Structures are given as structure tokens and as C-alpha cells.
Amino acid sequence: GSLLDLIMLDTRGLRDRQANDPAAFVDPKRTMLGAAQEAWLFDELRSSQRVGTAWRFLGQQVLFARVTPPGWPVLSSDLWDGYQAARDRVLDFLANESVRDVAVLSGDLHSSWALDIPRDPWRQYQPATGQGSMAVELLAPAISSPPLFATPSMRERAPLLRTFLPHLKFLDGDNRGYVLIDLTPKQIQADWYHVPTVLERTDAEARAASFVCEKGSSRLVPA
């Protein structure tokens, strides 16, 4: 099989409107992708696994992994946390069809994130071994927009997220930059680079983090 199937999704234009009612977040009738695109995604994943493609990348707009700890209000209904039944259908499919070696590529939050994707990070996941993780997520920062932690109130959330999200491997919301992904048949390596300023022309940058996902592992470890 080939090295990579890149499956690009629209998680903006076809979904149900964002909701503020907690009951709506788990409503199985609500959709992030729309019925047709969801079925197409499952067909693409099934076909990719069947022909032996090494990796499956899902390119899409918003954070996929669970980031709302049990008992907390949903942090943002714009994320897949606001469409939990739709996310469960994707995870159910990965499990039922034994689809592995999946990486979700996300953006939108103007920050750098690296996460394992277990179904339940608090009850069905071992952070030390990655047991329970079904895929990984790599979220790219913005290069021109203000960073996520541009306000003190947002910055104060970072320690809480790092404490209460056992599947969160890396989070930086203070810097602009990009993520570079190197792919081989045996591993993904993701390197986050941050820039010191966008107010003047400069080629200065610094590598902020590096993580590897080895084929078959569905987990991120520091490179």
C-alpha cells in the first residue's frame, strides 16, 4: 500500500448550529460532518485500511479530542466537545473496523497542542503507556492571528488543562508559529516551531516541541 491517505473534512459548513444546551452536546441526531460526509469519511477510512495504506491523516478545522473533564461545563461548543455523539460515531467506527494509524490534523485555536485520542481519557486510558488511545491529534498554531493566551483569563486556564487532561502531551498558547510533520512508513514526527515576533521581518524561530507516533502505537511520545 501507499504511505498516506490525506482525508480532508469540512467541519464548518455542513454541521448543525452550535448549541448552548448540555443536552444538545450528546444528542445523537446532531452532526458535525453532515450525514453524507460522515458516510464518505467512513468509506475512505475503510478503503484505506483495507488496501494497506500506512497512515490516515484527517485534515479538519477544530479540536477533536475530549478536553472537557467529567463534571465540567463544555469549554467551547465550537469544538467536537459540542458534538459528542458525532465524535463517538467516528471512534466507534475506528474500533469496530480496526482502523489504526490515524492522525487528526487540526487548527483554529491559535495555539500548539499534541494529544492522544482515547475514548475516555479519565477511565479508559493509561497516560504512561498510551493504552486506550485510538489515534493522535496534532494542532497547529496561528502565524498571524493573536495567540490563544493573549488574555490573562485564558492563560490562567493552561495549568488546569495540563492537570486535568491526562492525554494532553503538549500545550503552548503564548506563541505564533507552525508545525512541521515528517512521515515515514514507520513513524510520524511532529515538530512545533515558534517565532519571536510578527511585527518585524525576521527568519528567527525556535523548535518548541517534538513528538513521535510510531506505527501501530496510536500514541505520542517526546522525540
Side-chain angles (χ1 to χ4, degrees):
S2 59
L3 178 63
L4 171 68
D5 279 331
L6 176 58
I7 303 169
M8 298 300 296
L9 301 173
D10 179 358
T11 55
R12 288 292 193 203
L14 302 171
R15 65 180 176 176
D16 288 318
R17 290 183 178 274
Q18 291 181 49
N20 295 316
D21 176 10
F25 300 149
V26 297
D27 184 348
K29 294 191 293 293
R30 296 183 73 244
T31 177
M32 175 66 95
L33 300 173
Q37 184 179 210
E38 186 174 294
W40 173 82
L41 167 62
F42 295 163
D43 285 343
E44 291 292 305
L45 288 169
R46 184 183 294 112
S47 173
S48 175
Q49 184 79 16
R50 187 170 58 237
V51 301
T53 301
W55 297 96
R56 282 147 286 285
F57 281 8
L58 305 185
Q60 51 97 60
Q61 289 76 32
V62 295
L63 186 68
F64 180 87
R66 289 182 65 175
V67 291
T68 302
W72 288 29
V74 166
L75 299 176
S76 171
S77 63
D78 183 36
L79 312 179
W80 282 80
D81 269 2
Y83 300 80
Q84 294 169 25
R87 180 175 54 205
D88 286 344
R89 288 194 293 273
V90 175
L91 297 177
D92 287 343
F93 181 85
L94 296 182
N96 294 337
E97 299 283 337
S98 299
V99 176
R100 299 185 62 82
D101 303 313
V102 174
V104 180
L105 310 182
S106 310
D108 184 61
L109 284 179
H110 304 182
S111 46
S112 303
W113 301 62
L115 305 109
D116 289 348
I117 304 178
R119 182 185 300 276
D120 185 337
W122 301 277
R123 287 181 287 267
Q124 299 174 350
Y125 172 67
Q126 298 294 328
T129 64
Q131 182 180 351
S133 184
M134 305 173 71
V136 300
E137 184 162 12
L138 312 169
L139 192 137
I143 191 64
S144 58
S145 300
L148 178 66
F149 296 160
T151 63
S153 63
M154 288 301 297
R155 184 174 288 108
E156 288 170 2
R157 292 186 180 184
L160 290 174
L161 291 172
R162 294 188 184 101
T163 298
F164 290 104
L165 301 182
H167 56 311
L168 176 63
K169 304 302 179 180
F170 173 62
L171 167 60
D172 178 280
D174 290 303
N175 293 283
R176 297 175 171 91
Y178 62 96
V179 59
L180 182 67
I181 298 174
D182 285 311
L183 189 63
T184 73
K186 293 186 176 181
Q187 71 172 32
I188 301 168
Q189 177 159 334
D191 299 300
W192 281 262
Y193 287 88
H194 291 158
V195 299
T197 179
V198 293
L199 300 179
E200 59 187 53
R201 190 181 296 274
T202 173
D203 62 358
E205 63 181 16
R207 188 165 65 175
S210 297
F211 285 86
V212 164
C213 175
E214 295 183 353
K215 185 166 177 60
S217 73
S218 298
R219 63 179 292 229
L220 293 169
V221 295

